[in-house]
Amino acid sequence: MSQENEHVQCLIIGSGPAGYTAAIYAARADLKPIMYTGMQAGGQLTQTTDVENFPGYPQGIMGPEMMEDFRKQAERFGTDIRFGYISSVDFSSTPHKIVVDEIKTITADTVIIATGATAKWLGLPSEQQYNGFGVSACAVCDGFFFKGQDVAIVGAGDTAAEEATYLAKLCKTVHLLVRRDEFRASKTMVSRVLATPNIIVHYNTETLEILGNGKNVTAVKVLNNKTNVESDIEVEGFFVAIGHKPNTDIFKGQLDMDETGYLLTKPGSTLTNVEGVFACGDVQDMYYRQAVTAAGSGCMSALDAERYLAAKEHPIEA
Ligand code: NDP
């Protein structure tokens, strides 16, 4: 296989709001960043429809269009954006080594990781068919579209409990589908759910199919796995809250992460345990997971990278 080598000051991995914001700041600071987009250029937002909660878009904007705007802004300042995926990294020495598409090795003084997280789905064809047309993996993003309507949400962890409570403030009825006879969520969260009158908890309930009229969701077909009885619950919206998987497989053994694979950063910064490697966006944030918080931490990572390079170039004598 051919082996080309290239050296860069700043390599950005990932092209969601965190990666693009890091690119805008790094490019304007003249770090001449190169970005590898990953296989899903634009990240999770390219799979959504309307985004109404990102400041600066008073009329809202479609997710894919917003990511196009991010890309154009990053390119305007000279970011070299390349389609490709990072197949492995070696952070054991500086400069850091990054292998692209299994063939090309790049060395980098700083690496900004913005590889995001992937929402877990149930794996039903109907779930994909109605994704963006009544099916969503983010209540905070899409709950508003179901104001005054009936919705269902599947999951039993803290996210499902929190999102069910959030939806209950907007929607008429929230059907919470729990596959076992108990929650995984913390006691406080569960108490909050049980104290909310318009949340109906369906225990021992599995989702069989999301039903629709070809355009929108109309109901969800469920199975009670204790009684073996199937039934349809009429809903306009269906939310999946069964967890996320951070995209960190290639960093295993190289960077500190928690037990679920989220990268650990020094509090109040984007610094990882390896010098010159920074992490921003959902890959290091299991709590907020918003485009605007990802963008904010993307900005932080570029500033952290810039300061790191400046300190290396002009070390302060002790
Ligand atoms: P979790 O992994 O904690 O929970 C996932 C839930 O989804 C489980 O209850 C699981 O059921 C259920 N589930 C998985 N697959 C299916 C399926 N195919 N069908 C039906 N149900 C399914 O993920 P969360 O996103 O809830 O939380 C992730 C982490 O973030 C946790 O550590 C959590 O504590 C934390 N968090 C904290 C918050 C806070 O403190 N404010 C808010 C949100 C998250 P089962 O229980 O049967 O396995």
Side-chain angles (χ1 to χ4, degrees), residues 56-85:
Y57 291 104
Q59 305 306 322
I61 184 162
M62 300 302 274
E65 206 183 323
M66 183 165 105
M67 295 324 296
E68 262 304 288
D69 285 350
F70 271 66
R71 186 185 59 76
K72 285 183 198 150
Q73 196 171 351
E75 269 179 347
R76 181 180 153 210
F77 299 110
T79 308
D80 181 350
I81 300 173
R82 302 173 183 177
F83 183 76
Y85 75 99

Side-chain angles (χ1 to χ4, degrees), residues 122 154-159 162 179-180 184 189 242-243 286-287:
L122 296 170
V154 58
D158 281 329
T159 302
E162 196 168 72
R179 68 177 171 183
R180 291 184 294 138
R184 181 183 294 271
M189 298 284 220
I242 61 172
M286 69 156 69
Y287 291 107

Side-chain angles (χ1 to χ4, degrees), residues 8-53:
V8 297
Q9 277 187 85
C10 179
L11 184 86
I12 299 169
I13 312 176
S15 56
Y20 279 133
T21 307
I24 293 163
Y25 275 77
R28 294 188 80 251
D30 208 24
L31 301 189
K32 301 184 173 50
I34 288 180
M35 168 191 277
Y36 277 92
T37 60
M39 298 315 278
Q40 191 187 357
Q44 291 184 74
L45 277 172
T46 58
Q47 292 193 318
T48 58
T49 51
D50 294 272
V51 178
E52 293 189 330
N53 56 7

